[in-house]
Amino acid sequence: RRDGSSSQRHGQTSRRPPALRCEEAPTLRPCLMQGEDTRLPGLPRYVRINTLKLGAKAADRALLESGYRRAADAADAGKRSYHCDEDVPDLLVFKPKGKSDISRLPLVATGEVVVQQKASCFPALALAPPPGAVVIDGC
């Protein structure tokens, strides 16, 4: 139940704590009032190549023209560099928000690359539709 009261399921009683409200969480209040969440600083930004519009080599060329360079890995990455994700094909990893300006890339405006969280890439990767399949993204 939403109010945190007890409920019975298959003969067992369970009790969930009530949802935490903002005024009850003083450590969260300052960042929420300022409009930014600083709880997870330094997380990388991910850009997925839209392979229906652009190939990986063309994306590399376009990023190079925009002033970015491809690094071998995260340790080699500089301020205006990126590297390929080791888990998801066609996913590029950039510096954290505030340290990269990827949302201003022309490729983003044209839809040739999409800024998204890494976790958002896993459903399509797990589905692995065959070439030519019709897939509907319900999100």
Side-chain angles (χ1 to χ4, degrees):
R1 294 181 162 210
R2 289 183 181 215
D3 62 0
S5 62
S6 298
S7 64
Q8 281 195 322
R9 186 176 183 183
H10 304 291
Q12 299 175 347
T13 302
S14 65
R15 175 134 178 106
R16 284 185 267 165
L20 186 65
R21 295 189 312 251
C22 188
E23 61 271 10
E24 296 172 336
T27 58
L28 295 181
R29 215 173 321 145
C31 65
L32 294 174
M33 289 171 27
Q34 294 171 2
E36 64 181 86
D37 189 347
T38 58
R39 292 175 292 170
L40 299 173
L43 291 179
R45 301 201 58 198
Y46 296 94
V47 173
R48 182 182 50 82
I49 300 171
N50 181 351
T51 56
L52 297 175
K53 293 186 171 189
L54 191 70
K57 289 182 181 179
D60 280 338
R61 282 193 302 272
L63 288 167
L64 187 60
E65 290 171 8
S66 295
Y68 282 88
R69 72 171 185 83
R70 185 181 206 159
D73 56 32
D76 184 35
K79 181 173 170 83
R80 292 193 53 89
S81 65
Y82 64 95
H83 64 278
C84 294
D85 186 76
E86 59 188 36
D87 301 313
V88 181
D90 302 315
L91 187 66
L92 308 176
V93 185
F94 288 79
K95 290 289 182 189
K97 188 172 185 173
K99 296 181 181 179
S100 65
D101 56 354
I102 58 174
S103 58
R104 295 184 185 144
L105 289 171
L107 294 172
V108 173
T110 61
E112 293 170 308
V113 298
V114 179
V115 179
Q116 66 182 133
Q117 295 295 322
K118 184 175 180 175
S120 300
C121 300
F122 289 121
L125 192 61
L127 179 63
V134 176
V135 179
I136 298 173
D137 183 351
C139 294

